[in-house]
Amino acid sequence: MAQVRFLLIRLVKAIMVLLAVTVLSFGLIRAAPGDPATVMAGEQGAVDPEFLERVRERYGLDRPIHEQLFTYVAGVAMLDFGDSYQHNRPVMELIAERLPATLLLTLTAFALALIGGLLMGVTAARHVGKWPDALITVAALLFFALPLFWVGLMAILLFSVQLGWLPAFGMSTIGVNMSPIERALDVAKHLILPASTLGLLYLATYTRMTRASVLEVMDLEFVRTARAKGLGERRIWRRHILKNALLPIITLASLQAGHLVGGAVLTETVFSWPGIGRLAFDALLQRDYNLLLATFIIASAFVVFFNLVADLIYSLADPRIEVAS
Amino acid sequence: MSDFARRFLGSRSGMIGLVLLVLLVLMALSADLLYPQDPWRMAGRPNLPPFTEGFLFGTDQLGRDVAAGIVHGARMSLMIGFASSVAAIGVGVVVGAVAGYFSGWVDDVLMRLTEFFQTIPSFMLAIVLVAIFSPSLESIVTAIAVVSWPPIARLVRAEFLSLRQRDFVKAARVGGHSRTNIIVSQILPNALSPVIVMASLMVATAILIESGLSFLGLGDRNFITWGFMIGAGRTMIRHAWWLSAIPGLAIFVTVLALNLFGQGLSDVLNPRLSRSTRT
C-alpha cells in the first residue's frame, strides 16, 4: 500500500513537472523579442500572412494572456503542438515519425554505457590500486573531457573515411531492396557509431559510480562477516558485494537515461540520424520555434518518464523505500 | 608556504591540471600578440595541411589560419566558461543558502524549483534559450548559467542545513547578529570548500556546453570559437581532417585540465569525500 502511495505521489509530481515545462515554453515564446505569432510561426511562416493568421487564431493570441496560456497548455496536454510551416504538417506527426529512431539510438547507447560501465567499474574495484584500476580510472577521466560531437566526427574519420568499415550517415542504406533480416542488419551497422558515441560520455559516469559503490560495499561489516565465515571469494562477490552495490547504480543510471535524449541532438546531427534530435537541429536552422519547443517538451517528457521508471524499479527492488520517502 | 599550497603541490593530478591551465590562460591572454590579425581574415591558400610553412595547424577552406582560430578561441572558451560559472555559482549559492538557512516552506519552494531545473534536459533548454533570444555572448552565458546552477544550490543547502545547528551559529544568533550577517559571514565561509571544488568542474562542463552550442551554429558570430571551427570543418572531414580534429583536441585538453585541477582541489579541500568517490 505504501508503495502504491509512493508511486502515486511520484506520478503527480511528474505531471506537475510536465505542466511546468509547458508553462516555461509558453513563457519563452512571450519573452522572446517580437510578436509571439511570429516566434511561433518561425522565420518562414511569418512571411506568410495566411499562416500567421492561422497561428494567431489557433492560439487565441488576441485574447488576454491567461486565456492564451490555457489554450497552449490544453493543446500540449492533447499532444497538439500546432503546425510546422517548414514541413506544412502537424508538429506531432513529425515527432511521432522520428521518435522510433531516437528511441533505438538512445536505448542502445544507454545499454552499451550501462553494461560497459558496470564491467569496467567492477573490474577497477576488484583490482583497486593495481594497474587495471589505474588504467580504467584514467580512461574514465579522459572520456569525461571529450566533446561528444567531436568524438562522433573522429569516429567517422577513422571507421568510415579511413577504414571504410562502417557507414557514416543516416539510419539505413537507401534505394536497395533488402529482406527484413538484411534490413535489420543494415540498421544495426548504421547504429554502431552513433550509439557508441552517445554512450561514451555515460560510460565514464557509470564506471565511476560503479567503482565507488562497489568499494563502499566491500568495506561494510557483512562482507567482512562473510569472509570470516570462510565463504569463497566468488560467492562473496556474487551474493554479497555485487547484489548490494548494483542496485543504486541501476536506479541512478535510469535517472540519467532521459538526459540521453538531450544529448541525442548533437549525436543525431553529426550522424544525420533521422530522430527528434536531428529534427530539433533542422527546426533550429529554419527558426521553426514551434517545432523546436515541441521537441524540448517531448525530451522533457522522456526524462520524466525515465524518472518514473527508476522510481518503480527502486520501489520493487527495495521495499524499505516507504521509510525513506 | 601555507598548508593548502603544500598539499596541492603534492597532488599530481592537481599539478598537471594547474600547469595546463596556466599555459592555456597565457595563450588566451597573448592571443593579440601571437596573432595580431583578425582570426576571420584570409591568411593563406585554402586547405593547407598542418605544419605547412607559416601555418602550424594549416588553413581552412577559406584560407583562414587554424592556429590563429585556436589561440583566439581559447579566449572565448575560457571567458564564457568562467563567466557562466560565476553567474551559476552566484544564483546557486543564494538559492541554496536561503533554502538551507530558512528551511520550512521557503526551502520547499526553492528545492522544487531546483529539482525542476535538474529534471529538464539541460542541453536542450540551453539550445532553446539561445535560439529564442538569438545567439550573443550574453544569451549564451545566461543560458549556460540557467542550466548549471542547481547542483550548487543543493550542495550549499546541504551544508547550511548541517552548519546552522552548530554552536558557533547559535552563539552568533544569541550575540544579536543579523540574519544576513550570520548567513554571509558565519555560515557561508564554512560552506565554501565543496563549492570551490564543484566550481572548477562547472567551468569544464560550461566549456563543453558552449562548444556544443557553437557547433550547432548557436555561437556569437562576432567571435571565433572552437565549437564553431569544428562545425565549419565538419563538411570537409574527408579532405581536411585537421579542421575539426585540432579544435576538438583544444577543447579536450582544456576540459581535462579543469577536471584534473578540480580533482587536485578536491584532494586538498575535502580529503574525506575524495577518498570514497575518487576515481
Side-chain angles (χ1 to χ4, degrees):
Chain A
M1 202 48 221
Q3 285 185 23
V4 175
R5 207 176 137 247
F6 166 76
L7 286 174
L8 272 178
I9 292 173
R10 289 301 160 121
L11 189 65
V12 172
K13 229 176 160 179
I15 292 168
M16 297 297 282
V17 169
L18 286 180
L19 184 67
V21 169
T22 312
V23 173
L24 176 69
S25 300
F26 177 79
L28 285 174
I29 293 170
R30 297 297 314 200
D35 177 4
T38 321
V39 177
M40 293 176 93
E43 205 157 72
Q44 296 173 20
V47 190
D48 182 346
E50 206 179 301
F51 186 79
L52 211 54
E53 196 44 49
R54 229 164 76 206
V55 170
R56 279 212 179 88
E57 205 173 306
R58 161 71 182 76
Y59 288 100
L61 292 179
D62 48 351
R63 308 254 188 77
I65 190 148
H66 61 271
E67 277 182 43
Q68 291 178 30
L69 176 64
F70 181 78
T71 316
Y72 188 79
V73 173
V76 171
M78 315 272 263
L79 291 179
D80 175 3
F81 294 95
D83 290 339
S84 157
Y85 183 81
Q86 177 203 352
H87 298 269
N88 196 21
R89 284 172 62 197
V91 166
M92 198 53 214
E93 251 180 60
L94 291 163
I95 290 181
E97 235 171 59
R98 304 288 197 102
L99 209 52
T102 295
L103 278 178
L104 179 66
L105 174 65
T106 48
L107 291 178
T108 313
F110 176 60
L112 286 177
L114 188 59
I115 295 168
L118 288 175
L119 286 175
M120 282 170 66
V122 170
T123 310
R126 283 190 87 142
H127 304 277
V128 65
K130 305 211 184 74
W131 70 264
D133 181 30
L135 192 73
I136 289 171
T137 301
V138 169
L141 187 72
L142 297 181
F143 291 167
F144 247 127
L146 289 169
L148 204 66
F149 54 98
W150 182 72
V151 173
L153 283 172
M154 294 303 107
I156 290 176
L157 187 62
L158 180 62
F159 294 104
S160 306
V161 179
Q162 291 293 320
L163 299 169
W165 289 352
L166 293 165
F169 298 108
M171 189 172 160
S172 57
T173 314
I174 303 162
V176 189
N177 248 336
M178 281 190 241
S179 70
I181 295 174
E182 282 171 334
R183 178 62 70 195
L185 283 175
D186 184 52
V187 171
K189 232 173 135 179
H190 281 80
L191 183 61
I192 295 174
L193 287 184
S196 316
T197 302
L198 184 56
L200 197 61
L201 175 72
Y202 295 87
L203 176 71
T205 314
Y206 299 153
T207 303
R208 285 185 170 196
M209 281 180 349
T210 308
R211 180 181 178 277
S213 172
V214 170
L215 284 181
E216 205 179 304
V217 174
M218 265 165 74
D219 261 357
L220 293 180
E221 203 72 40
F222 68 87
V223 177
R224 253 176 276 160
T225 312
R227 210 159 266 152
K229 279 198 309 193
L231 289 184
E233 265 311 292
R234 186 181 276 185
R235 198 182 152 92
I236 293 175
W237 270 94
R238 237 193 6 242
R239 297 276 301 268
H240 294 270
I241 298 179
L242 292 184
K243 213 176 123 192
N244 287 290
L246 297 192
L247 180 65
I249 310 285
I250 290 174
T251 333
L252 276 173
S254 35
L255 281 175
Q256 287 180 327
H259 285 284
L260 281 167
V261 183
V265 179
L266 286 168
T267 316
E268 290 184 3
T269 302
V270 169
F271 291 97
S272 301
W273 188 262
I276 55 170
R278 172 82 208 183
L279 191 66
F281 176 66
D282 289 339
L284 196 62
L285 285 185
Q286 305 296 331
R287 313 214 173 285
D288 190 345
Y289 291 139
N290 219 11
L291 182 55
L292 182 66
L293 283 169
T295 57
F296 169 61
I297 295 174
I298 294 291
S300 308
F302 257 103
V303 181
V304 169
F305 174 75
F306 276 110
N307 287 359
L308 270 180
V309 172
D311 285 334
L312 187 67
I313 294 175
Y314 209 98
S315 74
L316 289 177
D318 190 347
R320 285 168 309 174
I321 188 110
E322 49 179 298
V323 183
S325 74
Chain B
M1 194 167 26
S2 76
D3 189 39
F4 173 85
R6 201 170 30 245
R7 276 195 288 168
F8 190 85
L9 286 173
S11 155
R12 199 172 36 170
S13 53
M15 282 310 290
I16 298 173
L18 181 65
V19 169
L20 283 173
L21 267 184
V22 168
L23 289 176
L24 283 162
V25 170
L26 283 178
M27 181 170 100
L29 288 177
S30 54
D32 285 334
L33 289 173
L34 291 170
Y35 293 93
Q37 259 113 2
D38 185 0
W40 293 102
R41 149 199 96 96
M42 196 174 150
R45 281 198 296 124
N47 292 332
L48 291 172
F51 304 114
T52 311
E53 181 81 59
F55 299 102
L56 180 61
F57 293 148
T59 57
D60 71 1
Q61 61 270 44
L62 296 174
R64 293 178 294 218
D65 188 348
V66 175
I70 294 290
V71 171
H72 283 268
R75 195 183 261 191
M76 288 318 289
S77 280
L78 291 173
M79 201 188 77
I80 292 178
F82 192 73
S84 52
S85 299
V86 168
I89 289 164
V91 175
V93 165
V94 170
V95 171
V98 170
Y101 186 83
F102 290 100
S103 65
W105 69 267
V106 179
D107 181 34
D108 270 346
V109 170
L110 289 175
M111 279 305 108
R112 289 303 86 77
L113 187 72
T114 311
E115 273 171 29
F116 171 70
F117 275 93
Q118 261 188 324
T119 307
I120 52 183
S122 50
F123 187 64
M124 285 227 55
L125 178 60
I127 290 177
V128 167
L129 285 172
V130 176
I132 286 193
F133 294 101
S134 73
S136 69
L137 210 52
E138 296 81 35
S139 70
I140 294 166
V141 168
T142 310
I144 298 176
V146 165
V147 302
S148 307
W149 64 269
I152 295 278
R154 293 184 84 126
L155 190 70
V156 171
R157 170 182 176 266
E159 292 288 318
F160 264 67
L161 279 179
S162 81
L163 285 170
R164 70 189 194 120
Q165 308 292 348
R166 300 276 272 277
D167 285 340
F168 71 91
V169 177
K170 284 185 192 148
R173 217 171 279 148
V174 175
H177 287 262
S178 72
R179 271 204 292 236
T180 328
N181 186 306
I182 294 175
I183 292 178
V184 175
S185 60
Q186 302 290 325
I187 308 183
L188 199 57
N190 287 291
L192 276 185
S193 50
V195 173
I196 292 169
V197 171
M198 201 184 253
S200 65
L201 302 177
M202 186 168 273
V203 178
T205 315
I207 288 177
L208 283 177
I209 299 177
E210 187 278 328
S211 70
L213 289 173
S214 35
F215 173 74
L216 292 176
L218 288 174
D220 187 326
R221 284 302 165 83
N222 295 312
F223 307 98
I224 200 153
T225 63
W226 294 336
F228 168 81
M229 291 171 76
I230 299 176
R234 185 184 152 215
T235 47
M236 302 289 295
I237 189 127
R238 278 166 205 278
H239 317 287
W241 56 267
W242 59 92
L243 297 184
S244 29
I246 292 171
L249 276 178
I251 299 171
F252 172 63
V253 171
T254 310
V255 174
L256 185 65
L258 284 159
N259 285 346
L260 287 170
F261 181 71
Q263 182 68 61
L265 282 180
S266 163
D267 289 347
V268 177
L269 291 173
N270 19 329
R272 198 165 33 88
L273 179 92
S274 177
R275 210 173 305 141
S276 62
T277 56
R278 184 164 60 192
T279 50

